[in-house]
Amino acid sequence: MNSYSWFIELLLQKGWSFRPLIEKQGDDLSSASNRALNLIKATAQSFQAFIQSFQELSSSGEDSWFLSYSDYLESNDAGFSWNEYEKLSIQAAEEDGDDEEKAFLTEFWNSYLPFAYSLRNGYAYLAIGIFGANKGKIIYGREPMFEEFSVEAESFEELLDSFALTLTSQKESIRLLDFI
């Protein structure tokens, strides 16, 4: 598999579904996908390698999943898009006519790239910091205010270690339980 096979194997032991990436996607993108690609390119190579290592990685109930590289490239009108929570927040700001909030939301979501979603206990996500003081850090956010977050890990590798400890019940992260 790849350098993340140990992590994927742990998820499989917990009933997760894994579908390997058959072929790497090209960079022929829509404007929305171009934005995603630019955000991806701003992340560490290790993170990029992870999202390019599978086509699908989801819990048995399909209520939590990691986004794959191809998820960022496709427009998904039928289900969750890679920036679903951003779109929900901006829609609410537009309905309220709050241009200042909309500007804040745009800046926030240009600073974080969501890569894992959970619907298990309400809407929750994990994202990687793209710029500024939180660059490379992993944040956890949830509804109703997606932009109110806590730092879950200092790096993507630290997050995987925390996931592993939670999966094996050695040290549980209450926030990561939303994804397991």
Side-chain angles (χ1 to χ4, degrees), residues 11 23 27 64 71 104:
L11 292 173
E23 65 181 58
D27 290 345
S64 56
D71 289 327
F104 164 78

Side-chain angles (χ1 to χ4, degrees), residues 6 16 52 60 68 73 90 97 104 109 118 122 129 146 153 157 161 168:
W6 67 271
W16 278 56
Q52 292 178 8
S60 60
S68 70
L73 306 182
I90 289 176
F104 164 78
W109 290 107
S118 175
F146 295 116
E157 290 74 15
D161 290 341
T168 58

